Amino acid sequence: MNSDHVKGSAKDMAGKIQRKTGEAIGDREMQAKGLARQAEGKTQKKVGDVREAAHALGRKP
């Protein structure tokens, strides 16, 4: 696990919380921002996967 995994997971979780809060109070803008933050977190986790795979192959990305 690397820093991209950790940061990505944190963004994903924060986005879920923001989206669910938006759903609970009926704020569509908050829901959309939460979805965007979740997507950003998932993307960052994928970057971490690529870096980890490259490191396992003995290459630095």
Side-chain angles (χ1 to χ4, degrees):
M1 184 172 260
N2 58 39
S3 64
D4 283 311
H5 283 125
V6 174
K7 290 176 184 176
S9 292
K11 285 180 186 178
D12 186 26
M13 184 59 69
K16 285 180 186 177
I17 292 168
Q18 187 175 16
R19 180 177 54 87
K20 290 290 187 182
T21 301
E23 288 174 6
I25 62 173
D27 186 338
R28 290 185 184 264
E29 184 178 349
M30 184 180 280
Q31 289 176 41
K33 286 180 180 180
L35 282 171
R37 185 181 275 177
Q38 275 185 275
E40 186 179 332
K42 289 177 192 297
T43 301
Q44 189 164 5
K45 283 193 283 187
K46 292 293 182 188
V47 168
D49 291 343
V50 170
R51 285 189 178 175
E52 202 166 274
H55 180 71
L57 293 173
R59 297 184 180 110
K60 288 190 174 184

